[in-house]
Amino acid sequence: TGSVSSECLGNLLRITLSAEYFEDKYLSFSVVDQSGIAWELDEALASRCGYTITNSNWSNIEFHASALSCHSHLEKDVFIVTVQIKASHTPDMKNATTHLKTTSCYYGAWSPRELLCASNYMEVSVRREVPQTLKDLIQDEPEDWTFVFPEAKAGGASIWQIVFHQPEEKKALLVTDAWSAGYGLNITDTRVLMRIPYTAAQIQLVEDQGITFSAVRSSTFYRQRWMILMVNTAVACPVDGVDYTNKTIIWTVPKYIQLHSAGATSFKDVLIEAGVNLHKLSAKEMASRKYVLSNDLNAITLKIPIGAQGGYYKTSVSNGQHGAKYTINLFLEHQWEDNKWGLTKYTIIKKIETPFEQAELDIINNSNLSARLMNVTVGTFLPDVELVNLTIEGETVAVPEAVQHGYLTDEIRYTNGSKDYIIQVPLDAPSIKKEYMTATVKAYTLNVTLAFITRPTGETFAVPVIRVATVKEAVLPSARGFCDGNNLHLIITHGNVDQNWLPFISDWHLTPEAAQKYNYSLWDNGTHLTISVPFLSSHMNYEDLNTSGIKASLHLTLKDGITLANRRDFSISCIFSPSELIQCLPNGTVIITAVKLERVADLDTSLLVLRDRQCKPSLVTEKTATFKFSLNTCGTTRMFSSTAMIYENDVLYFRPGNDTPVYKLKFACWYAIKQTVDVQYESKKNPPPSIKPGFGSLALSLKLFREKSYLEPYQESEHPVVKYLREALYFEVELLQPKDARLELNLNDCWATNSQSQDSLPQWPILINGCENNEDSYRTVFHEVNYSHRVKIPQHLKRFEVRMFTFVQDTVLLQE
């Protein structure tokens, strides 16, 4: 099928599984013998039998088979391999799909000796057409091969035996024992083969020309009729020999190493070829890729620029850091002739991986502030990286679930296979931190950690993404204030950022319940917050006191409802008459209120006294102390003038242990000694009062106010006023002329129409004969009018409250 392809490469077969089809699937490989039995491969069996399973590029899977692999079928110069591949979405391989691939490969150019260094095994095959005898055996070590002959001779008839030559001893294994130990053994009509895993116990590490080799020195014996045949099956494969200099890979392979050239005295190079991914490259192809293959007397050297064509980068993780390694699957074939073996073919398959190099990632902020979207691009990644989850406010969620938190993720792939990830989230998402940088600039902070995994290695790494977008959008609350005879009033106009801000006076949270407790007025209609505080109260600040007045101030802070950080400060100060602090009653009683000044911060109002220190306050708060006493007590002194008696006393504060007062409030009461009042009196019987109807010219006004306090009316420029259904409307009717205090304004009938004409229909009565409409679902509420700085004649005003409504007919909204 198109998902499985095969290719014959000399004495190797390569089968490739496409990444698109087999991605994210569990795989098992089996080799089918001539009897139809499938032998499932594991690592041990694969290295014993001449099979290799590896990854090429980022995700393609390759299966390699040697021409002399365990279950390949040989027919003259053709070897046939049948592979069974099972793929499943679950590790238990249930519901697996099976792919069967049979490939025939021609290979007729067998050399007398062939040496193969694969990634998981070493293989040596030797032609057995000319048996060796003891007499003409050539030794690579003194007496090495001579003394193994008796051991082979003692073996059973027709039973293979292998003798391993180790520095400390020689060890002989029967073929069954060698197979159990992981070695692969085979004999064909013309060749004897031995295969050694790199994990075998008899492997030695030897050094030749400064390069380390994995080596096995062995002899393979078998009987053929009356003869004992011996084959030298020594093989060595380079372990290192790779250097990295100036962004270049330098791979050096020594020629004619001692283990391969024992007994030979003359050598001649026949062929030296190199390639990538088992493909040989011509000199022209190498030059185009800037590969350099050099051959000198003792070694072959191949130089590859890091990043050159033929290799690939793959993602790597070191100590949690994201990086990359350059990987290239090199192929070197060296054929030489010597006077011992004749032609030897030496093939090395070498996967070279450069050291870890940290890769910097770009995090680009592409936020669309007009659409109120945070948009961040993270990359660029290699194709083997996959985003698996996000950590949002400490909670880790998989990519599909992130959308529930407002996070959209998108993968952008490029033609070279690399990719970027895009993270998009609304500015108003709960996980976006919002903060005011200046009075009108609001900062939005995205703080998310992206977790990635590499395929197929399963390494993980995380990328924290912190980006800030600033938007000039905040409308902060503003305030205005005024004072009347006994109160300070602060009216705060809400902005668009203080929905969750809380009012505080000092560190005291001003709630409706707290305001009621202290007889404060607190009213919020959604657009304005109105606060009224009496002049003499616990939360007032008194800055100065003299004969011209007392300066009082109210400081209000709006704090963040979550962090309680200060967001906005307001204050109002007013000068009140000193007479507000004292009452001189006709019966000789004085009520005096002393206030705590800011400049005497440590003053304890409960310790205030009069001249007679036994006279203490009868009522104490944090900021005030009130004394009530008779003028002939508490050390009060009396003086006379030509017209009055003057009583004086002082409110004093002494610090403990000090007789000099740090606070002194002097006060006096004046009583007239002589007062003449002229009264004209005429006795006359007045007729009983009567009211007669009449006609005259009256000037009236009707105003709509913002809130129940009736402090701020809507201006003409603000009409028409938009209100929601059932929202309160505060009306005030005032008699403007004449200004006769004997007159009283009474409202008889009041009604609403659907247009500006008072006679248009339909109509709805609000007041009937001076009373509320009993048929109304929300009846009209009258509000008392008291004397104030604005209201001089209370009987000239009438105030009432109506709930917002609209005209409908048969459930249809009527409009003008």
Side-chain angles (χ1 to χ4, degrees):
T1 62
S3 57
V4 180
S5 60
S6 62
E7 188 176 9
C8 297
L9 300 163
N11 61 345
L12 290 170
L13 162 69
R14 175 167 62 193
I15 295 177
T16 303
L17 281 59
S18 71
E20 291 77 7
Y21 182 83
F22 289 98
E23 189 175 14
D24 297 329
K25 292 180 181 177
Y26 295 90
L27 302 177
S28 72
F29 290 84
S30 301
V31 180
V32 181
D33 63 16
Q34 295 180 58
S35 302
I37 299 174
W39 299 85
E40 185 172 353
L41 297 178
D42 57 18
E43 289 185 10
L45 186 58
S47 59
R48 179 193 298 133
C49 284
Y51 303 113
T52 304
I53 300 171
T54 185
N55 289 87
S56 67
N57 295 336
W58 294 283
S59 50
N60 284 340
I61 297 173
E62 291 187 0
F63 174 89
H64 300 169
S66 169
L68 295 176
S69 56
C70 288
H71 302 292
S72 64
H73 174 50
L74 298 173
E75 293 181 357
K76 294 184 179 180
D77 294 329
V78 174
F79 66 95
I80 304 169
V81 178
T82 300
V83 181
Q84 176 183 278
I85 305 160
K86 290 185 177 181
S88 174
H89 290 285
T90 58
D92 57 10
M93 302 305 291
K94 289 184 177 180
N95 302 318
T97 58
T98 301
H99 304 263
L100 201 65
K101 185 71 173 179
T102 300
T103 304
S104 299
C105 292
Y106 173 81
Y107 182 62
W110 288 98
S111 299
R113 180 173 63 162
E114 295 202 356
L115 308 172
L116 173 63
C117 298
S119 62
N120 57 332
Y121 65 87
M122 302 185 291
E123 180 181 289
V124 53
S125 71
V126 180
R127 185 182 298 163
R128 65 182 182 96
E129 60 188 4
V130 181
Q132 289 179 298
T133 63
L134 182 62
K135 184 171 58 178
D136 48 20
L137 177 68
I138 304 301
Q139 303 175 13
D140 65 342
E141 293 289 343
E143 302 180 358
D144 209 17
W145 303 101
T146 305
F147 285 91
V148 303
F149 187 76
E151 298 172 354
K153 189 175 180 180
S158 301
I159 296 178
W160 287 47
Q161 195 173 52
I162 306 170
V163 177
F164 294 96
H165 307 265
Q166 295 177 300
E168 66 279 359
E169 63 176 351
K170 294 182 290 292
K171 183 175 182 180
L173 292 179
L174 297 177
V175 65
T176 53
D177 296 329
W179 182 267
S180 299
Y183 295 94
L185 305 168
N186 196 7
I187 184 169
T188 70
D189 293 340
T190 58
R191 303 190 75 80
V192 173
L193 173 131
M194 182 175 179
R195 190 175 295 110
I196 308 103
Y198 288 109
T199 56
Q202 280 70 38
I203 282 187
Q204 304 170 47
L205 292 179
V206 298
E207 190 172 296
D208 197 309
Q209 300 181 40
I211 306 299
T212 303
F213 286 80
S214 287
V216 169
R217 301 173 60 249
S218 63
S219 304
T220 302
F221 295 86
Y222 62 96
R223 288 189 178 190
Q224 183 171 321
R225 296 184 182 179
W226 54 269
M227 293 185 298
I228 294 177
L229 302 179
M230 180 184 70
V231 178
N232 180 353
T233 48
V235 63
C237 292
V239 174
D240 50 25
V242 179
D243 291 317
Y244 309 96
T245 305
N246 297 328
K247 297 291 184 179
T248 301
I249 299 169
I250 303 174
W251 180 28
T252 303
V253 179
K255 295 163 58 177
Y256 321 128
I257 66 172
Q258 194 273 339
L259 194 66
H260 291 161
S261 59
T265 57
S266 62
F267 304 93
K268 177 184 177 182
D269 289 334
V270 176
L271 179 70
I272 296 176
E273 290 185 312
V276 175
N277 298 325
L278 301 182
H279 279 287
K280 298 177 182 178
L281 297 176
S282 66
K284 183 178 180 181
E285 289 174 317
M286 284 197 176
S288 68
R289 300 182 182 197
K290 297 184 180 180
Y291 295 4
V292 177
L293 178 63
S294 58
N295 175 29
D296 59 26
L297 183 63
N298 298 314
I300 301 168
T301 302
L302 181 60
K303 296 182 179 180
I304 308 289
I306 295 177
Q309 180 185 351
Y312 61 95
Y313 283 98
K314 66 177 183 179
T315 302
S316 182
V317 180
S318 177
N319 297 323
Q321 295 297 313
H322 165 263
K325 296 179 179 179
Y326 175 75
T327 302
I328 188 166
N329 296 305
L330 294 178
F331 168 81
L332 178 65
E333 182 179 307
H334 179 203
Q335 295 185 33
W336 74 86
E337 287 182 344
D338 58 43
N339 59 351
K340 169 64 175 68
W341 285 97
L343 184 63
T344 296
K345 180 180 177 181
Y346 187 27
T347 303
I348 305 173
I349 301 171
K350 182 76 170 177
K351 182 178 183 178
I352 296 178
E353 187 175 83
T354 61
F356 172 85
E357 184 174 351
Q358 186 172 345
E360 295 295 332
L361 293 171
D362 292 325
I363 302 176
I364 303 172
N365 190 348
N366 297 315
S367 298
N368 185 348
L369 300 182
S370 61
R372 297 189 64 75
L373 287 175
M374 292 280 278
N375 189 305
V376 176
T377 300
V378 183
T380 297
F381 299 98
L382 293 172
D384 57 351
V385 170
E386 179 183 349
L387 175 65
V388 289
N389 59 53
L390 298 83
T391 300
I392 305 166
E393 293 187 305
E395 180 183 356
T396 300
V397 297
V399 170
E401 300 168 2
V403 68
Q404 301 174 13
H405 297 259
Y407 287 72
L408 296 178
T409 61
D410 192 17
E411 180 184 281
I412 306 299
R413 288 184 177 269
Y414 301 103
T415 54
N416 64 354
S418 62
K419 64 175 77 170
D420 286 338
Y421 283 95
I422 296 177
I423 311 299
Q424 182 174 287
V425 59
L427 291 180
D428 300 316
S431 61
I432 299 296
K433 181 183 177 182
K434 305 162 184 72
E435 190 176 16
Y436 298 97
M437 308 299 291
T438 65
T440 58
V441 175
K442 190 174 185 180
Y444 296 85
T445 303
L446 168 67
N447 189 343
V448 62
T449 299
L450 310 180
F452 297 87
I453 190 170
T454 62
R455 305 292 187 187
T457 56
E459 293 180 299
T460 59
F461 64 94
V463 178
V465 177
I466 302 175
R467 285 297 180 269
V468 178
T470 56
V471 182
K472 188 174 182 180
E473 61 174 15
V475 178
L476 296 177
S478 58
R480 60 184 182 85
F482 63 91
C483 301
D484 55 21
N486 295 302
N487 298 279
L488 290 87
H489 305 278
L490 197 60
I491 302 174
I492 299 173
T493 303
H494 288 303
N496 64 357
V497 297
D498 56 325
Q499 296 85 349
N500 298 317
W501 294 1
L502 305 174
F504 278 77
I505 298 178
S506 296
D507 292 326
W508 179 64
H509 182 197
L510 184 59
T511 63
E513 295 76 17
Q516 185 176 14
K517 174 183 176 181
Y518 287 92
N519 198 30
Y520 298 173
S521 174
L522 180 67
W523 179 258
D524 194 331
N525 65 355
T527 61
H528 294 79
L529 174 67
T530 302
I531 301 165
S532 299
V533 178
F535 156 63
L536 294 174
S537 70
S538 299
H539 298 95
M540 195 69 65
N541 294 315
Y542 303 100
E543 300 176 13
D544 195 18
L545 175 62
N546 51 50
T547 55
S548 61
I550 178 170
K551 185 178 181 181
S553 61
L554 173 66
H555 301 284
L556 182 100
T557 300
L558 295 180
K559 296 188 176 185
D560 189 288
I562 299 175
T563 65
L564 295 182
N566 288 1
R567 293 302 185 195
R568 198 84 165 131
D569 293 308
F570 301 105
S571 64
I572 179 175
S573 298
C574 294
I575 304 295
F576 290 89
S577 170
S579 62
E580 300 288 342
L581 301 178
I582 188 169
Q583 297 181 57
C584 300
L585 301 181
N587 63 359
T589 300
V590 178
I591 301 174
I592 178 73
T593 299
V595 296
K596 177 180 179 179
L597 298 178
E598 286 186 337
R599 54 184 170 85
V600 191
D602 62 342
L603 188 148
D604 184 349
T605 54
S606 65
L607 300 181
L608 288 169
V609 294
L610 298 178
R611 288 176 180 170
D612 183 349
R613 297 191 187 183
Q614 299 301 315
C615 294
K616 302 182 184 300
S618 57
L619 179 64
V620 173
T621 69
E622 182 184 352
K623 296 291 182 69
T624 63
T626 301
F627 296 84
K628 184 177 182 180
F629 61 97
S630 297
L631 287 173
N632 56 0
T633 63
C634 295
T636 306
T637 59
R638 183 177 63 182
M639 295 186 300
F640 291 92
S641 69
S642 60
T643 59
M645 290 185 299
I646 305 166
Y647 293 86
E648 293 183 346
N649 207 327
D650 300 312
V651 179
L652 306 169
Y653 178 71
F654 300 89
R655 288 195 175 100
N658 195 328
D659 288 335
T660 302
V662 295
Y663 176 95
K664 185 175 182 180
L665 174 64
K666 190 177 188 68
F667 62 92
C669 286
W670 294 58
Y671 290 92
I673 295 175
K674 180 189 296 183
Q675 185 175 11
T676 302
V677 179
D678 295 329
V679 178
Q680 182 178 358
Y681 176 77
E682 179 180 355
S683 177
K684 182 178 180 181
K685 185 176 182 179
N686 294 324
S690 62
I691 300 175
K692 294 183 179 180
F695 297 92
S697 176
L698 301 176
L700 299 171
S701 72
L702 174 64
K703 295 180 181 178
L704 176 61
F705 282 74
R706 298 182 186 274
E707 58 268 326
K708 190 177 180 179
S709 62
Y710 287 89
L711 296 174
E712 185 178 9
Y714 284 99
Q715 305 300 319
E716 288 186 7
S717 61
E718 295 178 277
H719 287 275
V721 177
V722 177
K723 293 285 186 177
Y724 294 104
L725 289 176
R726 301 178 185 172
E727 190 174 353
L729 302 172
Y730 302 100
F731 291 96
E732 179 187 88
V733 182
E734 182 180 4
L735 175 62
L736 302 176
Q737 293 294 335
K739 297 287 188 180
D740 189 342
R742 295 174 301 171
L743 298 178
E744 181 175 354
L745 174 66
N746 290 290
L747 303 179
N748 192 31
D749 294 310
C750 182
W751 65 94
T753 66
N754 198 35
S755 71
Q756 295 186 10
S757 173
Q758 64 181 17
D759 299 320
S760 66
L761 296 175
Q763 297 181 356
W764 183 255
I766 295 173
L767 299 176
I768 302 175
N769 295 324
C771 299
E772 65 268 26
N773 183 0
N774 292 329
E775 295 181 6
D776 210 329
S777 300
Y778 298 90
R779 297 186 180 180
T780 303
V781 178
F782 290 92
H783 294 296
E784 183 180 0
V785 182
N786 296 316
Y787 179 86
S788 70
H789 71 287
R790 188 174 72 84
V791 179
K792 304 303 182 183
I793 309 176
Q795 61 268 30
H796 282 194
L797 286 85
K798 286 292 184 287
R799 293 171 176 171
F800 58 91
E801 174 186 337
V802 179
R803 295 289 174 171
M804 183 65 184
F805 64 90
T806 187
F807 289 93
V808 295
Q809 182 174 358
D810 297 330
T811 72
V812 177
L813 179 68
L814 295 180
Q815 298 183 355
E816 184 179 359

